[in-house]
Amino acid sequence: MSRQLTNLLRAIAITLVVAIHASNSWYFGANGDVSLAHLNPVVFLDTAINQAGRFTVPLFVILSGFGLTMSETSRPFCFVGFWQRRSLRIIPPYIFFSLVSIASQPLFQSASLPDKLNHLWQVSQDGAADYHLYFLAIIIQCYIAYPLLRQIPFSTRNLALLGSFTICLFTLRWSVSLFDLFPAIAPYLSDSNHCIFWLPYFLLGMWLAKAPDWFASQVRRLASRQWGWIWAIASTIEVSEFYFAALKMGSADAAGHYGRPTVLLMTIAFLLWAMSWQYRQRSWSTHLNLSHRHREIAATIIGILGSASFSIFLTHVWVLRLISPLEVAGGIAYLFIAAIASWGIGLSIWQRVRSVKVLNLILGA
């Protein structure tokens, strides 16, 4: 994957993450109502966006593995140096946003000092301080596993083993949750926030960096439009499965978020579709009659959006809290407002803090 494509994917992914979080008041079953009798166009569209966008966090993990491997292959590996570089990128914002979120909670403010310290320790382990910080906890675990994962060479055999293991794991988790199968192992089966569900994505990203020609040859087997149709079909299956699970379980949350085989299918389909874009780039430019200067401008804009995407991710939950009174706009309108506000405010913050070292570190700029 080219750098321009990864920047574009980061920008797309964070925009959809904002839309997912902004749609929480309207998607099917979010407020406990899981009856199809109350389904309307607004709920249907919000649910489609909320669920079809679920490939975004797995995609972020894949891109993290890809970017990490691309940056680390240019230097001899040293665990101490590696962890110093990576921890400066992820630990400061993780600590800062955890503390800010916890400190704003009334129950925490009124708790005793021992209770405060115990609560801080608990939430620091899994990113539970705020609803988006679990992603940082996942990435930290992936970084810890990187020295071991880098020892696993890419081969078609290993890729097949990884795919088989991942499909079985996701299917087992989904089956146990939805149909109460294998009750004896249910207490020992991790939920989908555990790193075991995310390391396969991370390793796939590492292999994309290690064997780009092999993956490119597989993507070229189908046209970009065909990959797009495959993703559309996978998304339709995922949204349909969500409705089925929500109705069966009586709760949208019980249907699960990411530990579902349909999300895995949709993520891989989107990744392959996105990879096919770069092979169509020249024909698109010719078809749209874009000049060299216009292509450079587009590349610069995409580069800025990709570079700022981490800051947007870190700050968007606070932007959503700030603009929450605008939810009266309702449904799809609020999703556009949320996306524009998150990017506008986030880019402004990113632009101002990226040259200030301490702020640069804690705000991911």
Side-chain angles (χ1 to χ4, degrees):
M1 290 191 292
S2 66
R3 183 176 181 83
Q4 185 174 348
L5 177 60
T6 57
N7 282 330
L8 176 61
L9 292 180
R10 288 190 180 96
I12 291 173
I14 186 55
T15 303
L16 286 173
V17 166
V18 172
I20 288 171
H21 291 158
S23 66
N24 279 343
S25 297
W26 292 282
Y27 79 93
F28 182 74
N31 299 312
D33 183 4
V34 291
S35 172
L36 291 176
H38 300 289
L39 190 63
N40 58 57
V42 171
V43 171
F44 178 80
L45 286 174
D46 272 288
T47 303
I49 294 171
N50 186 285
Q51 290 302 308
R54 292 287 166 174
F55 68 85
T56 52
V57 178
L59 181 63
F60 267 132
V61 177
I62 292 172
L63 293 176
S64 296
F66 177 83
L68 174 62
T69 303
M70 292 294 289
S71 65
E72 292 297 325
T73 51
S74 61
R75 57 172 67 93
F77 180 76
C78 170
F79 180 79
V80 175
F82 162 77
W83 185 244
Q84 287 176 339
R85 289 188 298 272
R86 292 297 118 187
S87 61
L88 281 176
R89 177 67 172 164
I90 203 78
I91 299 296
Y94 184 62
I95 294 175
F96 174 76
F97 282 93
S98 294
L99 290 175
V100 169
S101 178
I102 293 170
S104 65
Q105 299 171 8
L107 288 177
F108 180 81
Q109 296 171 2
S110 61
S112 64
L113 180 60
D115 288 341
K116 287 180 179 179
L117 294 176
N118 181 62
H119 185 58
L120 285 172
W121 170 249
Q122 293 296 324
V123 300
S124 67
Q125 298 179 56
D126 57 5
D130 210 342
Y131 62 81
H132 68 312
L133 295 179
Y134 76 94
F135 172 72
L136 299 189
I138 289 167
I139 295 301
I140 291 171
Q141 294 174 76
C142 289
Y143 286 167
I144 293 172
Y146 175 74
L148 295 176
L149 294 179
R150 66 187 298 271
Q151 302 299 324
I152 305 176
F154 169 78
S155 67
T156 54
R157 176 179 175 273
N158 285 344
L159 180 62
L161 289 173
L162 177 68
S164 300
F165 167 79
T166 308
I167 291 171
C168 290
L169 176 65
F170 277 61
T171 302
L172 178 62
R173 173 74 269 179
W174 179 78
S175 301
V176 168
S177 300
L178 197 61
F179 299 107
D180 295 324
L181 299 179
F182 313 113
I185 68 170
Y188 307 101
L189 189 61
S190 303
D191 62 31
S192 57
N193 283 337
H194 194 277
C195 67
I196 193 66
F197 288 88
W198 299 96
L199 289 178
Y201 289 121
F202 192 75
L203 182 57
L204 176 60
M206 293 173 59
W207 284 348
L208 283 172
K210 290 181 177 180
D213 293 338
W214 186 87
F215 284 99
S217 67
Q218 303 307 306
V219 172
R220 287 193 179 101
R221 291 175 179 269
L222 295 178
S224 182
R225 182 177 298 179
Q226 292 173 304
W227 285 119
W229 278 112
I230 291 173
W231 177 76
I233 294 170
S235 298
T236 301
I237 294 172
E238 193 275 341
V239 174
S240 301
E241 181 267 333
F242 171 79
Y243 276 110
F244 167 76
L247 290 169
K248 178 175 176 55
M249 302 293 287
S251 168
D253 287 337
H257 294 297
Y258 296 103
R260 295 147 54 198
T262 52
V263 174
L264 173 66
L265 172 66
M266 182 175 60
T267 300
I268 300 304
F270 183 85
L271 176 66
L272 296 176
W273 182 32
M275 290 175 64
S276 74
W277 298 349
Q278 64 189 39
Y279 309 124
R280 299 278 296 173
Q281 190 176 48
R282 180 171 297 180
S283 62
W284 287 350
S285 301
T286 303
H287 178 70
L288 295 174
N289 198 27
L290 295 178
S291 66
H292 177 69
R293 177 170 174 75
H294 287 157
R295 289 198 296 271
E296 285 186 336
I297 292 173
T300 300
I301 293 173
I302 291 172
I304 291 172
L305 297 179
S307 299
S309 61
F310 188 43
S311 295
I312 308 301
F313 173 79
L314 292 171
T315 58
H316 81 277
V317 296
W318 293 96
V319 174
L320 293 181
R321 290 173 180 134
L322 177 67
I323 67 170
S324 59
L326 298 179
E327 287 190 9
V328 295
I332 302 301
Y334 180 68
L335 300 193
F336 282 104
I337 294 171
I340 293 170
S342 295
W343 273 106
I345 297 174
L347 277 172
S348 178
I349 294 172
W350 174 80
Q351 179 68 31
R352 284 166 172 75
V353 306
R354 61 179 179 157
S355 59
V356 183
K357 186 156 188 177
V358 175
L359 294 178
N360 180 310
L361 290 175
I362 64 175
L363 293 174

